[in-house]
Amino acid sequence: MAAKVKRPSNYVGETRKQLRDGYGVYTYTNSFYRYEGEWKDGKKHGHGKMLMKDGSYYEGEFIHGEISGHGSRYWSHNRNTYSGQFENGELNGHGIMKYADNCKYEGEFARNKREIGRASCRERV
């Protein structure tokens, strides 16, 4: 018979009916992801921040466990930022993408792709 190893809880925060509910912090078992924010019925719901170990993050709205609504995303590997609408974790709707090379795109996104909008670049000083 194998011995059971008791693992420390990865969640610190409010609960209701033994589900995450209210504000709490959850560190995923792979420890690459950490969520800080609001929960409802055991799912990320409301305002929160998903942090990644490489320095990337998303901050904004979650609906029924999914990144949906208005938020901001930062990618550490290329230093690009996005602020705008998300749907099911994808850039979807109006938003502004700022690139590390001083270029930006403002307009509509659909399924992480630019649709109708305007791009511009500024020279570095």
Side-chain angles (χ1 to χ4, degrees):
M1 181 175 195
K4 290 187 178 183
V5 177
K6 187 174 182 182
R7 299 170 82 188
S9 174
N10 294 335
Y11 177 74
V12 177
E14 299 173 290
T15 60
R16 185 172 67 86
K17 296 183 182 177
Q18 298 183 357
L19 294 172
R20 298 175 192 127
D21 204 283
Y23 181 84
V25 176
Y26 178 74
T27 303
Y28 287 73
T29 54
N30 67 12
S31 76
F32 185 78
Y33 298 100
R34 175 183 164 108
Y35 174 77
E36 303 172 353
E38 298 173 349
W39 297 83
K40 184 176 180 183
D41 298 327
K43 294 182 179 180
K44 297 178 289 288
H45 191 83
H47 187 84
K49 188 169 187 176
M50 180 71 77
L51 303 140
M52 285 131 251
K53 205 169 218 170
D54 69 355
S56 299
Y57 67 85
Y58 165 82
E59 183 171 9
E61 296 303 310
F62 289 79
I63 299 174
H64 304 298
E66 296 293 332
I67 293 173
S68 289
H70 189 271
S72 298
R73 177 84 162 86
Y74 169 74
W75 291 268
S76 65
H77 71 279
N78 58 18
R79 299 185 337 261
N80 293 343
T81 61
Y82 171 81
S83 180
Q85 296 297 310
F86 289 82
E87 186 176 331
N88 294 322
E90 295 184 331
L91 286 57
N92 205 62
H94 189 81
I96 300 171
M97 179 71 81
K98 292 183 180 178
Y99 301 94
D101 64 0
N102 276 348
C103 292
K104 82 174 186 178
Y105 168 83
E106 181 172 0
E108 299 302 311
F109 289 80
R111 303 175 87 191
N112 285 335
K113 294 189 176 15
R114 299 188 308 189
E115 291 288 309
I116 300 169
R118 183 171 177 222
S120 62
C121 293
R122 291 184 301 157
E123 285 190 44
R124 292 183 183 213
V125 179

